[in-house]
Amino acid sequence: MAKGPEKNTKNKALHTKLLNRKKAKLQEEKQEKKLRLKALVTKMNQQKKENESDDK
């Protein structure tokens, strides 16, 4: 029986590696954005408290 062409596992592995890198990068960016927002909210809450204490 004749076998079909060999499977191209090298390109498949490279593609998977690239996709995993992309996912990791997106996840890292999402985490950084989350931390920046958290810091901003904390800063704004601090300013709000300071303004309230100045008004009294």
Side-chain angles (χ1 to χ4, degrees):
M1 288 175 94
K3 291 187 177 182
E6 292 183 19
K7 293 192 175 187
N8 194 352
T9 55
K10 184 179 179 186
N11 278 348
K12 191 172 185 179
L14 287 174
H15 183 68
T16 302
K17 184 178 176 182
L18 288 174
L19 285 180
N20 287 341
R21 268 196 219 160
K22 184 178 179 181
K23 284 181 189 177
K25 183 180 178 184
L26 289 174
Q27 214 170 18
E28 189 176 323
E29 288 174 354
K30 189 176 180 181
Q31 184 70 19
E32 288 174 3
K33 185 177 179 182
K34 185 178 175 182
L35 290 174
R36 278 196 308 270
L37 280 173
K38 193 172 186 177
L40 185 63
V41 167
T42 305
K43 183 179 176 184
M44 294 305 291
N45 285 339
Q46 187 71 27
Q47 284 181 351
K48 189 176 179 182
K49 286 181 183 178
E50 287 176 5
N51 286 342
E52 286 177 358
S53 65
D54 288 346
D55 290 341
K56 289 183 179 180

